[in-house]
Amino acid sequence: MNLRKENLVRAIEAIAAAGGSDAREARLVAENLVTANLLGHDSHGIGMMPRYVEALLEGGLHPNRQVEVKFDAGALLTLDGCAGYGQSIGLQATEMGIARAKQHGSAIVALGNSHHLGRIGHWAEIAVAAGLVSMHFVNVQSFARVAPFAGADRRFGTNPVCIGIPLEGEPPFLLDMATSAVAQGKLRVAHNKGAKIPPGWLIDVDGNPTQDPKWGVLQPLGAMLTTGEHKGYGLAVACELLGGALTGGGVTDHDNKTRRRVLNGMLSVLIDPARLGTQKTFARDAKSFVAWLRASRPAPEHDRVRLAGEPEREYRAVRERDGVPVDEETWKEIRAAAAKLKLSPEKVDALARG
Ligand SMILES: NC(=O)c1ccc[n+]([C@@H]2O[C@H](COP(=O)([O-])OP(=O)(O)OC[C@H]3O[C@@H](n4cnc5c(N)ncnc54)[C@H](O)[C@@H]3O)[C@@H](O)[C@H]2O)c1
């Protein structure tokens, strides 16, 4: 089924509210998840809500939490997310970072112990809209899912890296990527659809390559592979060391076999390009380089060269027009999650249909 974004927001908001979130937080959670769907990242969209509900019921996710400032040296901030909803903790941390970067020219925000921060690009987009360059290294404390390069078992999470750069006269460059070959949720989406996955994403429990997404979803789990072999692996380790160890949030919870919560640590580096004294050359060179890239001849089976961030904007245009496709299995899980919070699934259906 294809659902309108406003209606989906209302349905997800109702579930978050039934889980104890105040109106502001419930809306932030719902808007953030639906935006991920709109941008084509169904893996980080409304399909996360059932997982959040399990984490809430287990006590690993706490509604209505605020960040706690652990250390404040002006342009350096260390924050504890207190296992609150990442959609609200991430916004607070980003807003604080933006204010500090505007004040000091740059800022580093070490955020530990936030519950799932969703699409990391969401935070970069907010900083970029304020005119800042925004870089993020993120670890995922949940059970390990990804094998190290040359390893046959799971040692860390899908550890995303994100770089947002404002460009004069056009939408920003927004690279937002898991360091695993794909985000874990894409395996869940493929599994829910009964689809095969491309080679290079996953190995089975014996370390052999597989195209069956069940090895990333059902027990016994295989392991996901990093993107770009040893290079993505190196970036994933940097995310764990910076987003996990350096922020104080903690590293992969390798003893955690059952807990449903997903904690993210995020080291953010924000730079005000207007304060580096290179504003003119930055604008001129960025523009000319992007034009040079775009003038590249399309390779066979490609229509044109894009910049990171463009595919998401293309998805948004289509899904704002046609609605967000939601598969049956995902909707079934969302209805079941509502029921666990004593919210009638029929009410959720009605909200989603408008
Ligand atoms: N919070 C967490 O714990 C967590 C963990 C992992 C991933 N994530 C999120 O999952 C999302 C999906 O990650 P992913 O790695 O599957 O994304 P992806 O592979 O779809 O895209 C990665 C990047 O490549 C760019 N891109 C895609 N196609 C392109 C093309 N043809 N030309 C130029 N650029 C192109 C995209 O704009 C994006 O910036 C991200 O938003 C990420 O932040 C979150």
Side-chain angles (χ1 to χ4, degrees), residues 41 44 116 118-120 158 174-176 178 186 264 309 312:
H41 291 293
H44 284 69
H116 193 242
R119 261 185 73 240
I120 303 307
T158 52
L174 209 118
L175 178 69
D176 177 23
K186 289 200 174 136
N264 280 149
E312 285 78 6

Side-chain angles (χ1 to χ4, degrees), residues 145-194:
R145 298 215 162 256
V146 184
F149 180 70
D153 55 13
R154 298 172 287 116
R155 296 286 134 160
F156 50 83
T158 52
N159 296 4
V161 176
C162 178
I163 303 175
I165 307 176
L167 298 173
E168 209 175 89
E170 69 168 293
F173 169 84
L174 209 118
L175 178 69
D176 177 23
M177 50 171 267
T179 49
S180 50
V182 281
Q184 196 272 333
K186 289 200 174 136
L187 302 175
R188 188 190 67 228
V189 170
H191 187 251
N192 284 354
K193 286 185 184 156

Side-chain angles (χ1 to χ4, degrees), residues 45-73:
I46 57 168
M48 286 305 296
M49 202 60 214
R51 179 83 189 258
Y52 292 176
V53 169
E54 285 177 40
L56 273 173
L57 294 171
E58 233 179 41
L61 162 61
H62 303 278
N64 308 322
R65 288 265 164 104
Q66 307 292 315
V67 298
E68 237 175 56
V69 178
K70 294 296 215 192
F71 178 80
D72 184 350

Side-chain angles (χ1 to χ4, degrees), residues 220-249:
L221 286 171
M224 295 165 69
L225 295 171
T226 53
T227 186
E229 303 190 328
H230 56 288
K231 303 180 187 186
Y233 163 55
L235 273 178
V237 174
C239 284
E240 196 71 39
L241 297 176
L242 297 176
L246 186 63
T247 59

